[in-house]
Amino acid sequence: MIIESHSAEETALLGEKIGREAAPGDVYTLIGDLGVGKTVLTQGIAKGLGIEEPICSPTFTIVQVYEEGRMPFYHFDVYRIADIEEMDEIGYEDYFYGEGLTMIEWANLIEEILPPVYHQITIEKDLEKGFDYRKITIEEIHR
């Protein structure tokens, strides 16, 4: 599925829709350059889950856990993972196969441990279509 967003508000609304429709155990990966709107989408997802607290990227902690919504929300940023064994150390399987929604930024760095089925979200800019334009592709991946 391809969605065109023309503003941060539209991107956040898409995130809310994903959050409202998510089921326990869903895993989403998020791919996109810096400044493309990954955090805006993630904040929308949290809102769709009923999470009120501020959502920020867990760049230095690898995972942030939010438990106040209708299900837990596990937000990973694996950009700084140097070795896949670091994911074992934090018990990634408890999150990936848990009762919440898992969102993984920079998931291409840990492809070998992703679950057999997950949803991949790719956000891309196209400056020819405007500064705020984003092409958002959502695919279900079967490995």
Side-chain angles (χ1 to χ4, degrees):
M1 169 179 14
I2 295 176
I3 296 103
E4 294 184 305
S5 173
H6 300 279
S7 68
E9 292 79 17
E10 286 182 18
T11 300
L13 286 172
L14 173 63
E16 280 186 55
K17 182 178 187 292
I18 292 169
R20 283 192 309 271
E21 295 175 358
D26 280 352
V27 174
Y28 283 84
T29 62
L30 189 51
I31 298 168
D33 293 332
L34 293 173
V36 80
K38 295 187 301 288
T39 300
V40 169
L41 183 76
T42 302
Q43 290 168 338
I45 290 170
K47 186 174 181 182
L49 290 170
I51 297 168
E52 300 290 327
E53 67 183 284
I55 305 295
C56 54
S57 186
T59 302
F60 298 103
T61 58
I62 300 176
V63 63
Q64 288 280 89
V65 177
Y66 303 91
E67 296 192 9
E68 72 177 66
R70 66 179 179 85
M71 74 175 92
F73 182 40
Y74 312 124
H75 182 198
F76 283 80
D77 183 331
V78 297
Y79 182 76
R80 299 196 186 288
I81 291 286
D83 188 308
I84 204 77
E85 289 177 10
E86 289 179 57
M87 293 297 290
D88 287 329
E89 291 171 14
I90 63 170
Y92 78 90
E93 289 178 328
D94 293 339
Y95 300 106
F96 288 16
Y97 301 101
E99 291 301 311
L101 168 65
T102 301
M103 170 65 72
I104 310 163
E105 295 186 39
W106 303 100
N108 55 305
L109 300 175
I110 61 164
E111 279 184 32
E112 61 265 33
I113 63 168
L114 291 175
V117 177
Y118 61 93
H119 306 275
Q120 179 173 287
I121 301 173
T122 305
I123 306 176
E124 302 168 284
K125 290 182 182 182
D126 184 344
L127 294 177
E128 289 182 12
K129 293 187 177 186
F131 181 76
D132 292 323
Y133 174 86
R134 300 295 185 267
K135 176 183 169 188
I136 303 169
T137 306
I138 303 174
E139 327 173 65
E140 186 172 270
I141 306 294
H142 295 266
R143 303 181 326 118

